[in-house]
Amino acid sequence: MAFPKVLTTDQAAALIPDGAVVTVSSSSGLGCPDATLAAIGKRFEETGHPRNLTTLHPIAAGDMWGIKGVDHIAKPGLLARILGGSYPSGPSSAEPPAIWKMITSNEIPAYNIPSGILFDMHREAAAKRPGVLTKIGMDTFADPARQGCAMNAKAAEEPVVRKIEFDGDDWLYFKAIVPQVAIIRATTADERGNLSYEHEGGYLGPLDQALSVRNNGGIVIAQVKRLAKSGTIKPQQVLVPGILVDAIVVVPDQMQTTHTVYEPAISGEIFRPLSSFEVPEFGVSKVIARRVAQELRYGDAVNIGFGISANVPRILIEEGRHGDVTWVIEQGAVGGVPLLDFQFGCASNAEAIMQSPYQFTYFQGAGFDASLLSFLQIDRQGNVNVSKLGVRPHVTAGAGGFIDITARAKRIIFSGFFTAAAGLAIENGALAITREGKVRKLVNDVEHVSFSGSRAVTQGQDITYISERCVMKLTAEGILVTEIAPGVNLERDVLAQAEFPLKVAGDLKVMDAVLFQPGVIGLDIGGGRADV
């Protein structure tokens, strides 16, 4: 092969043929090759090419906060099919992204495939193996017995997964999809195409994506911040070697992540003082996060997701317990402090940053100790929905790594509000419900099964649900209320607000009163004390 060429974004866009399968490395704004995607959209507007692309997005490309990502190419005629682990998401009051309009209007087949499985599909394509045989996604919307990952009617007509019998057991089979083009991103490329990631908040999966394309004779385009002389990047710093890269596009002003041009603590170049991290203000959300923190065990490796539980690391900082557990997130950070809001998916002060495909292997095999996640809905079987809200689809990003993480996790603590839009306050150390929520979140049947309660029971997983009103456990007989908040009426505020009967523990407890008081609570998660 020839050495890579340094091209403009327009020249790089011209390399993409009609009908190509294109894989894009990104996680919302993190690592998004936004300028290259914009050039593809611009070329299509000007020339009508490339046409009929299929795109693969193990994690979402772009967001609703200024980095358009996939929306640059979400144009009729340009995009023919999309397979994503997640999609851009944002507030219900905002205009839906163009990609969501295409999905909900059934313009193109669209699929929500668990992120880890999509990365696995790339590895299988790279090794020229037939596809992925897995139990991840069984009895969830990824299972063909339910939606089979289809997001609309057109996708349902063209299945991407089927259930097969192998070696005396049932498995989900995802056929490998061979990409012809990879669009990846890095910080630095040298003249021979070697890529390093010193300013990035995560590697994501560019190596696996580049391998899947290179091994099948395709084109790898790398968008970078800067170009360096050959031989000036140390070999230990090269993640993607130049032998896998065809074209280099230099974009000096590429964003590190959403609303962040560059913050060295995100890429591990400096460590922030713990005092620089804001702790949550006292209120109902903080009470829930505190109660979640009480479920932690000293020395655990703990996965953390978006929502209320994302504040738990700040609770530990406030309580002087930072370092008692090690946080692990799907974008690759191990340790440190997972960040919030626009920087979610990044961490400051990380101990290590893994490539996302290998982080997902760790999750799929349940090598970690616990996961802290959110819920949109819970049903009578203990199923959880986080991936679909039919009336406002762009509010959710889809499953992302949720299914990979929860499929075999030893312990899962789901958190959220018991009903939606309730009036809540803390008065005199007790919960006050000033207005009941308009929408029940404990429903007979969830809209989308992102997590299978029945499978969790069969596998012996330890499942806890924590809200502002109560703590519940998943049992073989149903969902059991084990604790209620001070100030809560069990019948009126809990049992009557669920669409299905809840069981009540014979030794029902009241949640620790200290949770409902301002100031530190003296959190004790057992074991020794880590250095802070």
Side-chain angles (χ1 to χ4, degrees), residues 131 192 228 235 274 287 293 321 341 401 424 451 471 506:
R192 295 174 72 91
L274 290 181
V287 168
R321 307 297 309 222
D341 302 324
L424 303 169
F451 165 79
V471 177

Side-chain angles (χ1 to χ4, degrees), residues 89-409:
S89 61
S92 59
S93 57
E95 179 75 8
I99 187 59
W100 274 110
K101 292 179 181 178
M102 294 186 79
I103 293 169
T104 56
S105 63
N106 204 36
E107 289 185 54
I108 58 172
Y111 306 84
N112 187 192
I113 300 175
S115 292
I117 292 177
L118 259 175
F119 280 125
D120 292 339
M121 290 167 70
H122 283 79
R123 277 186 258 181
E124 298 307 289
K128 300 189 178 180
R129 295 187 291 255
V132 179
L133 205 60
T134 183
K135 288 188 178 292
I136 303 302
M138 295 280 272
D139 197 36
T140 72
F141 74 83
D143 192 320
R146 297 188 185 272
Q147 291 82 17
C149 298
M151 298 177 71
N152 55 20
K154 281 196 172 181
E157 294 170 0
E158 303 174 19
V160 294
V161 57
R162 55 193 173 96
K163 191 173 288 185
I164 67 171
E165 184 179 337
F166 175 75
D167 199 23
D169 206 351
D170 289 335
W171 299 80
L172 299 185
Y173 174 66
F174 292 82
K175 186 177 180 180
I177 298 173
V178 176
Q180 286 90 46
V181 179
I183 305 174
I184 62 177
R185 205 186 91 171
T187 299
T188 307
D190 72 11
E191 294 166 304
R192 295 174 72 91
N194 298 301
L195 305 181
S196 61
Y197 284 71
E198 57 270 25
H199 288 179
E200 306 302 316
Y203 299 122
L204 306 179
L207 180 56
D208 287 47
Q209 290 168 286
L211 282 167
S212 68
V213 169
R214 166 60 58 233
N215 288 5
N216 289 287
I219 299 165
V220 177
I221 300 168
Q223 179 183 308
V224 300
K225 192 174 184 180
R226 57 198 184 187
L227 186 66
K229 186 180 184 300
S230 296
T232 58
I233 302 177
K234 293 181 180 180
Q236 295 94 338
Q237 293 178 310
V238 174
L239 178 70
V240 180
I243 55 173
L244 303 181
V245 177
D246 297 284
I248 300 165
V249 177
V250 181
V251 181
D253 59 351
Q254 67 184 18
M255 302 282 282
Q256 189 181 42
T257 190
T258 306
H259 283 203
T260 307
V261 175
Y262 170 59
E263 186 177 310
I266 286 177
S267 46
E269 295 166 272
I270 64 168
F271 273 28
R272 288 172 53 181
L274 290 181
S275 60
S276 70
F277 295 98
E278 292 186 8
V279 298
E281 293 184 2
F282 181 65
V284 178
S285 292
K286 185 170 187 175
V287 168
I288 300 173
R290 284 172 162 179
R291 181 60 189 84
V292 171
Q294 289 183 323
E295 295 290 314
L296 298 174
R297 300 169 181 169
Y298 181 81
D300 278 355
V302 182
N303 165 259
I304 192 165
F306 194 70
I308 290 172
S309 58
N311 277 309
V312 175
R314 313 299 177 104
I315 299 294
L316 266 63
I317 289 173
E318 184 179 30
E319 296 289 326
R321 307 297 309 222
H322 174 70
D324 281 10
V325 302
T326 302
W327 306 110
V328 288
I329 58 178
E330 64 188 67
Q331 287 78 5
V334 177
V337 182
L339 300 179
L340 304 173
D341 302 324
F342 298 122
Q343 296 178 335
F344 184 78
C346 303
S348 286
N349 305 7
E351 298 172 32
I353 298 177
M354 290 178 65
Q355 296 179 54
S356 288
Y358 304 98
Q359 190 81 299
F360 277 116
T361 298
Y362 175 56
F363 292 154
Q364 289 176 352
F368 61 111
D369 298 293
S371 185
L372 314 182
L373 299 165
S374 297
F375 64 81
L376 279 176
Q377 295 174 315
I378 304 168
D379 72 15
R380 65 189 187 278
Q381 294 183 321
N383 298 325
V384 172
N385 172 26
V386 298
S387 49
K388 184 178 181 182
L389 201 58
V391 294
R392 298 174 293 173
H394 70 277
V395 172
T396 62
F402 185 93
I403 290 175
D404 302 282
I405 292 162
T406 59
R408 293 192 178 96

